């Protein structure tokens, strides 16, 4: 590689901006899709940033002192990849033949897969900034390193509420290390944005949310340079927002500030004219300032001794309480962090907060930002546990889905699931969470029935890849297992069985307890029922399920405190039918109505997932 | 019923406030759960509102000129129901014996089920205000009626981004008829809120988002009265926000402004002391101002002649385009309204916008607010169709779930589903949407494979109860059906069959086309395959599926452009195993990997849901 320029003056930065534009045009035209105009508007901003302010060790993306650069406007991927080319870490050939092609790491919207300089996947707007808040929280409160987190935002995405959750938390936590750079090019996908070029309106909003603001002409490299220098100053206690008035398609007069050019590559002849107008191809190699020396990252700490809580068999303990107690114990590992959406006294994340206040982050009622913060902390190598009522995690589904695209390792816990919660009514009852979480790629979904298994599974979650989720129960139910019993992810427990079993009853959480009661009822009638604790909903224990079904004449009753689609029943039936030709007689009991308020027994009975309902279903299968 | 007081002076309003507190205490103590302290903080605000400003015809909640009152802080349900008692529409006995009890309409958080004065279900915070924006949009732009929409908000929920989406849209659409009343009692569930009693901070934010603001002492009835009078003035073009500094638990000195009293009823002895301190029980009957006379609501318009677009068999038409064309045609019905999340040129909602600009609402990139607006418009009797990329509807999952609790009839459409979209990559690919939508109670999930069926199903959606969802495809594929073919919701089509069929192939959307191509391949090898178009994913055509499985030796191949959990395959397997003892050999093809960019054929092949993958699966079942 030729020697990169490391002393980037403003003239060179301006040249670099043109190169980034040219490469954005070339790459998107070669791919036949992509967003050149959205890249061109931000090219000068990014050129000055990468050339003169971004402290980055391009040879070592794992350098803990590196600044972070997140493209919240992920559709400007040609610009990201052109920056990587300018830094010499992606070749021009890869850019021209890889962008948006099958099997390439240069995907249509950036993801970390194969790109060590990309922290998080973006492309669903309004997420890069909340993710950046998480990285900045880690920088200020956990790493104690002077890195900055630069986030390039689109103006359209300022309409997403999650952006304001991010500004709110950034100012609450005094994140001077977070700098949002808003590319105000006034044009969204289908036309003008709500606020157009009214940078003053954005400024008032950002200031009201506690940010320092800088309004600049986004094509004046000197003005940009000054704003970046001031915004990147870590001495204050406010996040910074640079509001840059820009022109979409800047530099190519045929499309500048024109509607109907969003997300469209230029045809070859136009691309040729664009490159010519932009001064032709360049192949500058540029590297800006290096990060300060930093001590090595602390060891992951997974060797720390974790003493899980111990529960006595038969004691009535809510699994949400076991979650909190186990999490507090797990806090012996210094990489463990926790956050909650203002209900920590319900989820029992409060126990972690009390034990490890320096690693607990109150996110208030902002579930999207909570998950974004978890993703951001995972970027820095921490293992976040984020909790709320399970019902309210639906608020963050887009963030959870994108966490999987980000290959983030995060742990979620949702309490107060199902009709079991009782009087609060359906707004507080998670009845869709298992379906939602199972459908996430690579996810793990756990639903323990007792405190011992809950505690063991909390510990297991801390070492899982991807998005893991634990559903916990509000009420206290008997501890079923002795301390030390293993609960492998993907396993299950046969909690009651005999050779003469005629039917298999499958439950998890509250319904394992109603299955056990049903088995007692049936035993009194001479019917022998096998009972399975399906604590691992995904991955699911196909072998145990098929064995049980085979042993009980294919007769299976599944009971779940969830709507009938996509949850426990679906996991079982998918497993049983996915394992080869099979003969089955299935009764799937679930919450098939819209519940109201009531006591737990009343609501379980109404839904038909109490012991009576389960026993009756078993009898029907045997009739 | 005794004659209610209709001339409510400030002294009577103050008395009413005390009654609302007393009844909030009594009802929650009798229920053994609930949120008395959160009700007490807002009691004076609501007393002055209901007594002197809320124009409401309590005898006729359907009066189209009625003001609307929405409790965005739904946990203050004791206060809502105490207001209904004060208005004489709920008896004291019902309040004392019904609240939070099984089978009662006085649920833990308000829902419209059985309560005609409750517009929408709340209890998941940050939703009542976005819903209110929808009602106010209808008032200003559709009904042209001078009603006001009063929304009681909690201060904790101001941390939800959706609240700022609501303020943003309220000012963008100049909704002077929307008044947010924020009960700034400074205490959330687990402790102090982020901003405490800093009403100035809220004020700066609300003003920056375009609202008129009023800061008041929330226990000074004269100050409240003045603010409500000014805020309720419709002559301006800004929404209003009243920031009321209040005391949680106000009126009962033992709990005033105390932490650890959130969501807890008082024990009987405390309740007795509270009632005594509040001046004892009262049974005031109060009705405030009546609404102005209004012309009757326009007829629902479902008699309007709708001329659906006609497509020629074999022509390649994207179902998203058929969605837009059918929706534009459906606009002949005056109750049809549409909105989109700034991608209307992709979803083709733009065609409705062009044809019916007065009934189209651009929601920019704010999917939560978009669904909230749809729910609000359904309150006013309109039939909303809201669209975005299917992937981005995940952003609104909590709102969609709550729409079902609200018993709202809304129609959603998600375009660009699955790997079929190609180069844009996974952030833009909906691979979880079918699971998410199926799990919503009472939902309908449609996934047409051609333009004719898409158009017919758009028309069907407009008369469905509950939340309905149509998934559309990006690319154009051959029209399969003649115009006029019926597509009943809950049905399916056998598009290819013979007596000798050995295997059933089931697809929808893009995979119906790959199933058909696979059937061609198999036919060339002498294997006869039945092919089913499962356009109705929920409800699903159990009869047709079981018949096909039975006719083909239980051999079923399901192919879906979705992650394997909770989607098409789950719907099929649930149906087949839910219909009695059965023997099955199932091959379930789905997107089991994290896709990247690529062409449609490359990505379909990689996921194994192209014709080759389907044919191979069929061969395996027959081996």
């Amino acid at each position: 590689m030729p020697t990169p320029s490391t002393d980037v003056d403003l003239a060179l930065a301006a040249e670099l901006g043109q190169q980034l534009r040219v490469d954005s045009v070339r790459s998107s035209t070669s791919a036949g899709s992509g967003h050149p105009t959205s890249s061109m508007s931000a090219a000068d901003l990014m050129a000055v940033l990468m050339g003169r302010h971004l402290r980055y060790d391009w040879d070592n993306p794992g350098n803990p002192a590196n600044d972070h650069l997140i493209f919240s406007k992920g559709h400007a991927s040609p610009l990201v990849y052109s920056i990587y080319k300018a830094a010499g870490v992606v070749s021009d050939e890869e850019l021209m033949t890889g962008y948006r092609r099958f099997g390439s790491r240069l995907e249509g919207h950036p993801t970390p897969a194969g790109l060590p300089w990309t922290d998080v996947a973006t492309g669903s707007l309004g997420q890069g900034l909340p993710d950046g808040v998480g990285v900045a929280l880690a920088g200020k409160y956990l790493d104690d390193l002077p890195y900055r987190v630069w986030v390039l935002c689109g103006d359209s995405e300022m309409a997403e509420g999650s952006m304001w959750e991010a500004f709110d938390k950034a100012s609450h936590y005094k994140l001077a290390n977070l700098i949002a750079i808003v590319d105000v090019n006034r044009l969204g996908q289908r036309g003008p944005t709500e606020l157009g070029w009214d940078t003053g309106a954005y400024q008032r909003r950002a200031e009201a949310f506690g940010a320092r603001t800088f309004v600049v002409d986004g094509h004046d490299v000197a003005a940009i340079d000054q704003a970046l220098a001031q915004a990147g100053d870590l001495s204050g206690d406010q996040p910074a927002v640079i509001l840059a008035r820009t022109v979409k398609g800047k530099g190519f007069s045929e499309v500048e500030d024109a509607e109907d050019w969003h997300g469209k590559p230029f045809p070859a002849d136009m691309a040729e004219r664009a490159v010519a107008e932009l001064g032709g191809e360049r192949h500058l190699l540029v590297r800006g300032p290096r990060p300060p020396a930093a001590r090595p990252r602390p060891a992951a700490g997974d060797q720390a001794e974790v003493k899980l809580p111990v529960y006595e068999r038969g004691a009535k303990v809510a699994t949400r309480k076991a979650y909190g107690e186990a999490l507090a114990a797990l806090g012996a590992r210094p990489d463990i962090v926790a956050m909650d959406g203002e209900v920590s006294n319900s989820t029992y994340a409060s126990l972690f907060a009390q034990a490890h206040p320096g690693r607990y982050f109150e996110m208030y009622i902002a579930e999207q930002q909570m998950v974004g913060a978890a993703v951001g902390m995972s970027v820095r190598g921490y293992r976040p546990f984020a909790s709320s009522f399970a019902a309210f995690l639906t608020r963050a589904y887009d963030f959870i889905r994108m966490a999987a695209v980000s290959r983030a390792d995060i742990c979620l816990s949702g309490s107060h699931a199902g009709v079991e919660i009782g009087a609060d009514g359906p707004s507080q009852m998670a009845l869709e969470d298992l379906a939602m979480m199972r459908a996430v790629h690579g996810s793990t979904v756990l639903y323990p029935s007792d405190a011992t298994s809950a505690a063991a599974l909390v510990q297991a979650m801390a070492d899982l890849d991807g998005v893991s989720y634990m559903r916990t129960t509000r009420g206290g139910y008997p501890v079923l297992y002795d301390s030390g019993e293993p609960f492998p992810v993907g396993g299950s427990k046969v909690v009651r069985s005999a050779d003469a079993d005629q039917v298999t009853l499958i439950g998890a959480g509250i319904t394992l307890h109603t299955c056990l009661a049903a088995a007692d009822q049936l035993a009194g009638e001479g019917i022998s029922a096998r009972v399975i604790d399906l604590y691992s909903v995904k991955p699911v224990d196909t072998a145990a399920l098929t064995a049980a079904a085979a042993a009980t004449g294919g007769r299976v009753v599944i009971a779940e405190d969830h709507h009938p689609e996509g949850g426990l029943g679906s996991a079982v039936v998918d497993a049983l039918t996915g394992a080869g030709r099979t003969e089955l007689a299935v009764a799937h009991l679930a919450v098939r109505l819209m519940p109201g308020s009531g006591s737990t027994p009343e609501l379980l009975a109404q839904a038909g997932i109490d012991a009576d309902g389960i026993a009756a279903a078993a009898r029907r299968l045997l009739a």
Side-chain angles (χ1 to χ4, degrees), chain A:
Chain A
M1 191 170 89
T3 308
S5 306
T6 52
D7 185 14
V8 182
D9 63 16
L10 290 177
L12 183 56
E15 274 299 297
L16 176 60
Q18 293 294 79
Q19 171 173 317
L20 298 177
R21 288 191 175 90
V22 167
D23 288 343
S24 296
V25 169
R26 292 169 64 231
S27 57
S28 53
T29 290
S30 79
S33 73
H35 298 74
T37 58
S38 305
S39 297
M40 295 159 86
S41 57
D44 297 316
L45 294 163
M46 292 300 100
V48 180
L49 178 65
M50 91 161 280
R52 293 173 54 84
H53 299 277
L54 184 77
R55 299 179 192 142
Y56 203 87
D57 180 353
W58 288 99
D59 293 322
N60 181 14
N63 185 327
N66 278 343
D67 278 359
H68 290 260
L69 173 58
I70 295 173
F71 266 50
S72 196
K73 54 175 290 185
H75 55 287
S77 56
L79 181 57
V80 185
Y81 304 143
S82 297
I83 289 172
Y84 296 164
K85 175 196 142 177
V89 295
V90 161
S91 70
D92 191 70
E93 189 195 350
E94 182 178 0
L95 184 65
M96 293 299 289
T97 61
Y99 181 50
R100 287 180 166 250
R101 307 316 197 277
F102 182 71
S104 164
R105 61 181 179 171
L106 304 185
E107 297 187 24
H109 294 75
T111 82
L115 295 175
W117 320 281
T118 296
D119 290 326
V120 293
T122 52
S124 179
L125 290 168
Q127 300 206 20
L129 189 66
D131 292 348
V133 166
V135 180
L137 279 169
K140 182 178 172 92
Y141 294 99
L142 301 170
D143 290 329
D144 192 23
L145 282 170
Y147 59 78
R148 287 87 52 90
V149 184
W150 308 88
V151 184
L152 178 66
C153 307
D155 49 353
S156 280
E157 68 179 323
M158 300 291 271
E160 283 284 12
S162 57
M163 298 296 278
W164 301 98
E165 293 182 14
F167 287 124
D168 178 54
K169 287 299 163 295
S171 68
H172 180 75
Y173 281 108
K174 306 185 189 303
L175 300 179
N177 55 349
L178 182 76
I179 307 103
I181 304 170
V182 188
D183 178 18
V184 185
N185 67 21
R186 92 164 188 90
L187 289 173
Q189 171 175 322
R190 44 130 290 290
T193 60
E194 257 177 319
L195 294 174
W197 269 324
D198 188 354
T199 48
Y202 289 115
Q203 187 178 27
R204 286 190 294 278
R205 294 181 182 192
E207 288 183 354
F209 274 73
R212 292 186 298 148
T213 62
F214 305 85
V215 177
V216 298
D217 172 348
H219 304 303
D220 176 339
V221 291
I224 295 167
D225 188 59
Q226 193 180 11
L228 291 173
Q230 292 177 14
D233 173 20
L234 289 170
S235 63
D237 62 0
Q238 289 179 286
V241 179
I242 296 174
L243 296 155
R245 179 182 161 128
T246 62
V247 174
K248 200 159 175 170
K250 173 73 179 180
F252 182 34
S253 49
E254 293 181 39
V255 303
E256 277 189 357
D257 193 34
E259 293 191 36
D260 295 327
W261 273 105
H262 180 95
K264 291 179 187 164
F266 305 142
D269 58 324
M270 276 183 77
E272 208 171 300
R273 293 197 299 276
V275 172
E277 186 175 337
L278 290 162
E281 285 185 35
R282 293 168 187 77
H283 297 284
L284 300 172
L285 265 182
V286 166
R287 295 194 170 183
R290 287 183 54 83
R295 64 182 189 289
R297 298 291 300 276
D302 47 8
Q303 306 308 324
E305 200 193 353
V306 172
K307 283 201 166 172
L308 287 183
V310 171
Y311 302 100
E312 205 148 322
R313 251 191 209 241
K316 290 189 174 180
V317 183
T319 51
R320 60 182 170 127
K321 186 140 186 274
Y323 167 79
E325 291 173 341
L327 185 60
L330 198 62
R333 276 175 51 168
D335 62 325
I336 303 292
V337 296
M339 55 204 76
D340 192 274
E342 222 272 306
V343 290
S344 58
N345 53 341
S346 289
T347 61
Y348 284 98
S350 56
L351 300 178
F352 183 95
Q354 287 155 22
H356 312 284
R359 281 183 274 134
Y360 176 79
F361 298 88
E362 177 56 57
M363 301 312 290
Y364 299 91
I365 308 183
E367 295 82 3
Q368 297 186 91
Q369 174 57 74
M370 179 175 74
V371 175
V375 169
M377 289 188 188
S378 79
V379 166
R380 294 295 310 183
Y382 296 94
R383 173 60 66 144
F385 282 76
S387 50
S388 183
F389 280 31
F392 305 146
L393 292 179
T394 56
R395 199 62 155 265
Y397 194 29
D398 199 11
F399 281 74
I400 296 168
R401 173 184 83 84
M402 287 298 295
V405 184
S406 288
R407 281 70 171 174
D409 301 326
I410 64 170
C411 305
L412 304 175
S413 174
S415 68
H416 290 73
V419 302
E420 187 262 350
I421 71 162
D424 273 334
S427 63
Q428 321 291 301
M429 293 170 176
L431 290 162
E432 308 85 1
D433 58 317
L434 296 176
M436 166 177 103
M437 295 304 312
R438 283 182 69 235
V440 171
H441 178 70
S443 66
T444 300
V445 180
L446 305 169
Y447 186 15
S449 299
D450 89 330
T452 299
S453 54
L457 291 166
V458 168
Q459 186 170 26
M461 286 171 83
D463 295 307
L464 292 175
D465 289 338
V467 177
S468 59
Y469 172 61
M470 176 177 285
R471 184 189 224 215
T472 66
T473 299
R474 180 170 181 269
Y477 300 97
V479 173
L480 300 170
Y481 303 102
D482 289 326
S483 168
E485 173 88 21
F487 291 89
V489 169
S492 65
K493 294 285 173 192
V494 178
V495 287
R496 182 172 176 140
S497 73
D499 287 346
D501 286 341
Q502 297 155 275
V503 61
T504 299
L505 312 181
I506 301 170
I510 174 68
T511 59
L512 178 65
H513 296 275
T514 55
C515 281
L516 284 167
D520 284 342
Q521 269 193 30
L522 294 166
E525 302 163 21
I527 299 172
S528 181
R530 183 162 302 192
V531 179
I532 292 183
D533 173 357
L534 203 67
Y535 63 82
S536 181
V537 181
K538 180 186 176 189
V540 76
D541 191 348
T542 302
L545 291 171
T546 49
T552 57
R555 284 179 291 272
V556 172
V557 179
I558 312 148
E560 61 178 318
D561 194 359
H562 186 276
H563 284 319
E565 299 87 4
L568 196 71
S570 187
V572 171
V573 172
D574 286 353
L576 290 175
T577 60
R581 181 168 285 270
T582 184
E583 191 180 332
L584 293 171
V586 174
H588 178 197
L589 310 178
V591 182
R592 293 178 188 273
L593 44 77
M594 176 59 74
S597 292
S599 71
T600 301
E602 286 166 340
L603 293 169
L604 293 173
Q606 184 191 30
I609 55 174
D610 63 345
D612 288 349
I614 295 166
R619 280 183 218 111
R620 281 195 302 274
L621 291 182
L622 287 160

